[in-house]
Amino acid sequence: MQTKKLFLAAAVAAGMVITASAGGNADLVKEGEKIFNTKKIGNCLACHAVNGKKIDNPGNLGPKLQGLSVWPEQALYDKIYNPYTTNPISAMPPFGLNGVLSDHQIKAVVAYLKTIK
Amino acid sequence: MIAKAVKATVAVMIGGVLLNAGSFDVQAEKDRQALVKYFMKKFSDPVKNRGQFFPYATEEDMKNIMPVKKVEDFRLGSYAFSKVGRSQYEEINEMPPYEDDIDAGEELYNGTKGIKECFPDPAIAGEYPKFDEKQGKVVTLSVAINDCLKAHGQKPWKLTKGKIADLEAFFAAKSKEAGKKVHITIPSKAAAEAYERGKKAYYAQRGYLKLSCANCHVQGSGNRVRREYLSPLLGATTHFPVYRLKWQGLGTLERRIKGCEKNQGENPHKPGSQWVSEILYFMAYMSNGLPVDGPDIRK
């Protein structure tokens, strides 16, 4: 009885943790996707198509984004924060450096980029 | 031997004459020729040049981007190379939506006090912006029209649309009819300095997006922001005022620049300000020798 209860509690707890983290991450991905596709916020689609996602008329000033799921989160964060660190003549705007996107918003975009195959 | 010496003297004389006549536009002329070369190369063979100039183009883009053979074609903006854009453009131009505006402009020309005295020859669209030595500054056609109105005791017009655009449409149509070409001059050191400031403004990364005009209209030209192909700097001013479908009406260069400063994520400068007039001076100089082709239509 005792063990059963304990087990149940543990399972529930574990389940909750899992859902919470999955739900939290899913929310973050969703938020990042919205930033990516909204003109007034990230407007990333102005320049980027995305492999495997349906984007409404993406531009091609930047490369089609693919394989980003294998990039380290920090590298993605840095690219969005300030692309000049790795490419001094990048035509991509520095969204963190110039204060367009907050730390939290960049993390949300990174979460979304990590879903790109 | 003598022949050789004579040849050398003649060469020196020609060099000397050129230097005297045009010494203030030496740099601008170099810039212009380099730009022409860049765009002629970029669009000479898009498929061959894909890696260098259109690195992120899709297969569909490559099917759509046509080679540009003649430098004059750059007056068409993105329709010089976009097949789909060009056919839509030709369709709309069968019934040009700006005809009434040209007529309205002609009425303003004949009926507005002072305008005929200030602009006895209406075929002058290709000569602006101009460096005005007396005022020591660049004046665009829009600014020159307003200066004229003020000099004749009248209230200036809005610089971006309305009457000013109609009058400019009439000037442009007359210039086109007369086969005029863009002919921007740099007559003095002060003019050359204004040109240099305009050039610097064009290439400066501005606004919170840190994009320069050149990011989109030099390197970026031929590529897309969303579905819009970006037009080349070469030819950018030849066809104004422009009837934009988005505006449902005519607008001046001043109006167009305002929108593009917003594309940079910037609060636009005031139309008629030194910054706007000088950037237009630089842009128009780059189109020297191209035919005046206004008014025209754009999406």
Side-chain angles (χ1 to χ4, degrees):
Chain A
M1 189 68 197
Q2 274 294 80
T3 35
K4 212 175 173 184
K5 235 184 189 165
L6 253 176
F7 177 76
L8 221 122
V12 168
M16 272 173 68
V17 167
I18 288 162
T19 19
S21 94
N25 192 43
D27 285 349
L28 203 62
V29 168
K30 229 175 165 180
E31 186 184 345
E33 180 168 20
K34 185 157 178 232
I35 293 168
F36 193 97
N37 288 318
T38 306
K39 182 164 181 193
K40 287 271 157 67
I41 326 177
N43 199 18
C44 313
L45 83 168
C47 297
H48 293 290
V50 180
N51 190 33
K53 315 247 180 206
K54 233 180 126 20
I55 307 267
D56 178 29
N57 286 301
N60 71 0
L61 218 48
K64 179 172 183 176
L65 299 179
Q66 49 200 337
L68 297 186
S69 55
V70 303
W71 280 39
E73 282 181 15
Q74 189 60 42
L76 289 171
Y77 189 98
D78 291 346
K79 189 90 211 168
I80 303 169
Y81 188 86
N82 180 11
Y84 308 141
T85 38
T86 48
N87 177 359
I89 57 158
S90 181
M92 175 162 151
F95 289 91
L97 193 66
N98 59 17
V100 172
L101 298 180
S102 68
D103 173 66
H104 171 78
Q105 285 174 316
I106 297 179
K107 283 181 178 144
V109 173
V110 168
Y112 169 64
L113 296 184
K114 287 290 283 181
T115 68
I116 296 171
K117 297 276 191 313
Chain B
M1 186 65 205
I2 287 175
K4 221 180 185 178
V6 168
K7 245 192 208 155
T9 326
V10 170
V12 167
M13 276 169 62
I14 291 174
V17 168
L18 281 181
L19 264 180
N20 279 333
S23 58
F24 297 112
D25 66 4
V26 170
Q27 183 58 44
E29 199 44 30
K30 257 193 221 158
D31 296 343
R32 190 188 67 81
Q33 282 168 18
L35 193 78
V36 169
K37 207 168 141 194
Y38 171 82
F39 277 111
M40 289 307 282
K41 169 141 194 265
K42 180 172 196 169
F43 288 102
S44 61
D45 189 344
V47 173
K48 197 178 110 206
N49 296 337
R50 182 175 181 173
Q52 186 182 358
F53 294 119
F54 312 101
Y56 311 128
T58 62
E59 294 309 318
E60 227 167 286
D61 287 321
M62 295 319 294
K63 276 188 220 139
N64 190 45
I65 302 173
M66 307 180 282
V68 181
K69 301 281 184 218
K70 291 180 298 193
V71 68
E72 292 80 28
D73 288 353
F74 284 109
R75 73 188 190 282
L76 296 171
S78 63
Y79 311 140
F81 54 79
S82 164
K83 212 181 278 176
V84 172
R86 178 76 149 264
S87 72
Q88 291 168 346
Y89 164 80
E90 281 168 356
E91 215 167 280
I92 300 169
N93 247 350
E94 279 173 20
M95 285 265 285
Y98 47 73
E99 302 267 89
D100 292 347
D101 300 309
I102 299 178
D103 293 344
E106 181 161 16
E107 269 171 43
L108 287 168
Y109 181 72
N110 290 317
T112 310
K113 199 172 130 214
I115 292 291
K116 254 188 174 163
E117 287 97 281
C118 298
F119 307 98
D121 175 6
I124 37 92
E127 286 161 37
Y128 286 86
K130 211 179 230 181
F131 191 82
D132 182 324
E133 291 293 342
K134 258 189 257 146
Q135 300 187 63
K137 64 168 198 179
V138 173
V139 287
T140 62
L141 186 53
S142 312
V143 170
I145 291 169
N146 267 354
D147 284 351
C148 174
L149 291 174
K150 283 185 255 173
H152 287 82
Q154 298 184 75
K155 267 193 23 207
W157 294 339
K158 206 174 159 69
L159 286 165
T160 46
K161 57 181 175 182
K163 287 182 182 170
I164 223 159
D166 288 349
L167 182 57
E168 287 180 21
F170 173 64
F171 285 159
K174 280 288 174 195
S175 312
K176 186 177 173 176
E177 221 175 85
K180 295 281 176 154
K181 301 208 154 125
V182 177
H183 179 65
I184 307 299
T185 57
I186 301 184
S188 64
K189 184 156 175 277
E193 284 164 5
Y195 165 88
E196 285 298 332
R197 281 192 298 272
K199 176 167 85 181
K200 211 166 132 200
Y202 195 89
Y203 285 93
Q205 289 184 309
R206 289 179 58 241
Y208 67 78
L209 290 180
K210 291 273 179 291
L211 289 169
S212 71
C213 315
N215 280 145
C216 286
H217 295 293
V218 180
Q219 298 98 301
S221 174
N223 298 302
R224 279 181 291 108
V225 168
R226 301 293 299 274
R227 71 169 81 179
E228 292 306 329
Y229 282 102
L230 291 159
S231 58
L233 164 58
L234 184 62
T237 59
T238 49
H239 50 284
F240 276 78
V242 138
Y243 186 102
R244 273 190 88 191
L245 301 188
K246 186 176 159 192
W247 296 335
Q248 288 292 304
L250 276 186
T252 62
L253 272 165
E254 276 86 352
R255 186 176 184 186
R256 182 68 245 213
I257 292 270
K258 222 170 144 179
C260 267
E261 285 190 81
K262 286 190 196 150
N263 283 341
Q264 293 179 304
E266 182 68 276
N267 284 328
H269 289 89
K270 256 178 90 126
S273 65
Q274 183 184 352
W275 188 92
V276 171
S277 297
E278 289 182 347
I279 208 168
L280 289 174
Y281 188 43
F282 160 74
M283 290 167 67
Y285 190 95
M286 291 298 105
S287 293
N288 256 356
L290 297 187
V292 175
D293 198 31
D296 204 6
I297 46 163
R298 291 290 185 268
K299 259 210 295 196

